[in-house]
Amino acid sequence: MQLADTEWEFIGPYLPIGEYGPYPERLRQQFEGVIWRFKTGGQWRAMPQEFGAWSTVHNRFRQWRDAGVFEALLEGLIAEAAKRGEVDLSLVSVDSTTARAHHDAAGMHFGQDVITALEKAAAEEEKARQKGTARKDKTGGTAKTTRSAKSDDVSGAGTNSG
């Protein structure tokens, strides 16, 4: 078991029990399977049988996620800690630079409309970048476009031949 009985007493009421399941006696086992998954970083398919079928635990996790169970649980934990005077939210910080993605996070699928929009945005960004680069001279400053009278005379521009 990964959860103490007192921890489970707090968590259990946050987990919804639908008309057709899950069976209350398996909720703790399935919740502990979700904990195992994120604690170890292992794949769902590699989950030990003691938590039940991996596909069932995964589906339960998705249902809980979609129902907002984890957000409600976090808010409940914060509220309980605040009641006890055990929380100081001034010290909370989230830094995404330390978040690591599992190798299974690759392979995200997008609709064609999203892909088209992303390609268009990338092309516009590249065009703007190239336009900015063309304006820079060798020293990194902005190049000035000037006309010399000499070049105008050579090309015949601005002369009146008549």
Side-chain angles (χ1 to χ4, degrees):
M1 286 200 189
Q2 296 181 8
L3 294 172
D5 289 338
T6 55
E7 293 170 330
W8 178 246
E9 287 173 13
F10 181 82
I11 294 169
Y14 285 92
L15 304 178
I17 299 175
E19 185 177 340
Y20 301 106
Y23 302 109
E25 65 270 7
R26 294 190 187 150
L27 279 178
R28 182 173 182 167
Q29 175 187 31
Q30 293 167 353
F31 192 83
E32 288 182 346
V34 172
I35 292 172
W36 175 89
R37 162 62 170 92
F38 290 101
K39 186 177 181 180
T40 64
Q43 295 182 2
W44 288 106
R45 291 178 185 263
M47 181 175 294
Q49 278 297 105
E50 67 191 71
F51 302 116
W54 73 267
S55 58
T56 302
V57 176
H58 178 257
N59 287 337
R60 195 70 64 221
F61 163 73
R62 287 181 33 233
Q63 291 169 353
W64 290 334
R65 179 200 62 199
D66 295 346
V69 168
F70 298 107
E71 289 87 357
L73 183 58
L74 179 60
E75 290 172 8
L77 285 169
I78 292 170
E80 182 65 28
K83 267 195 261 183
R84 295 178 186 175
E86 299 173 347
V87 67
D88 180 9
L89 293 179
S90 67
L91 301 176
V92 173
S93 174
V94 176
D95 182 3
S96 64
T97 60
T98 60
R100 300 177 105 201
H102 191 269
H103 63 272
D104 285 347
M108 190 178 227
H109 299 285
F110 294 109
Q112 188 57 44
D113 54 339
V114 174
I115 293 172
T116 302
L118 289 171
E119 288 173 344
K120 181 180 176 186
E124 289 173 0
E125 182 179 347
E126 183 61 28
K127 183 178 176 183
R129 184 177 294 128
Q130 288 175 351
K131 187 176 180 181
T133 303
R135 291 185 183 184
K136 301 238 180 206
D137 64 9
K138 291 179 184 176
T139 62
T142 304
K144 296 181 181 177
T145 307
T146 57
R147 283 188 177 182
S148 68
K150 192 175 192 180
S151 66
D152 282 343
D153 291 338
V154 172
S155 66
T159 59
N160 200 356
S161 55

